[in-house]
Amino acid sequence: ETPPADDSEDVNTDVSTEIYYLNVKTGKFHIVSCRYAEGDNVVEYEGTLDDLLAESKTPCGICLKDLQKDNQE
């Protein structure tokens, strides 16, 4: 007999989320330590890199320059 499911347990989705800073005006996103990750239009974003890219957000040309170059190819 199968024991009843315990709904109180957290479901592990194996999706790694990160904290980024997103400029809601320009659509650019930054890593937390980026010097450009500040200002009135910048909000904290928790999610995956794939989520940001799927939402057509642009990586910062300074803190994420390697990622930006990869996306232009």
Side-chain angles (χ1 to χ4, degrees), residues 19-48:
I19 301 293
Y20 296 96
Y21 286 118
L22 174 64
N23 185 314
V24 295
K25 188 173 183 180
T26 65
K28 289 193 178 197
F29 63 94
H30 311 266
I31 60 173
V32 174
S33 61
C34 182
R35 65 179 182 245
Y36 296 108
E38 57 185 42
D40 293 338
N41 297 316
V42 177
V43 297
E44 190 174 284
Y45 178 94
E46 183 175 353
T48 66

Side-chain angles (χ1 to χ4, degrees), residues 41-73:
N41 297 316
V42 177
V43 297
E44 190 174 284
Y45 178 94
E46 183 175 353
T48 66
L49 185 58
D50 288 341
D51 290 341
L52 284 164
L53 296 173
E55 294 173 18
S56 299
K57 304 304 181 198
T58 307
C60 171
I62 304 299
C63 66
L64 294 164
K65 66 181 175 185
D66 291 337
L67 182 62
Q68 188 178 47
K69 187 178 6 173
D70 291 343
N71 283 336
Q72 291 176 351
E73 293 176 356

Side-chain angles (χ1 to χ4, degrees), residues 1-6:
E1 184 174 317
T2 305
D6 184 359

Side-chain angles (χ1 to χ4, degrees), residues 3-13:
D6 184 359
D7 292 337
S8 66
E9 290 184 32
D10 290 334
V11 176
N12 183 1
T13 59

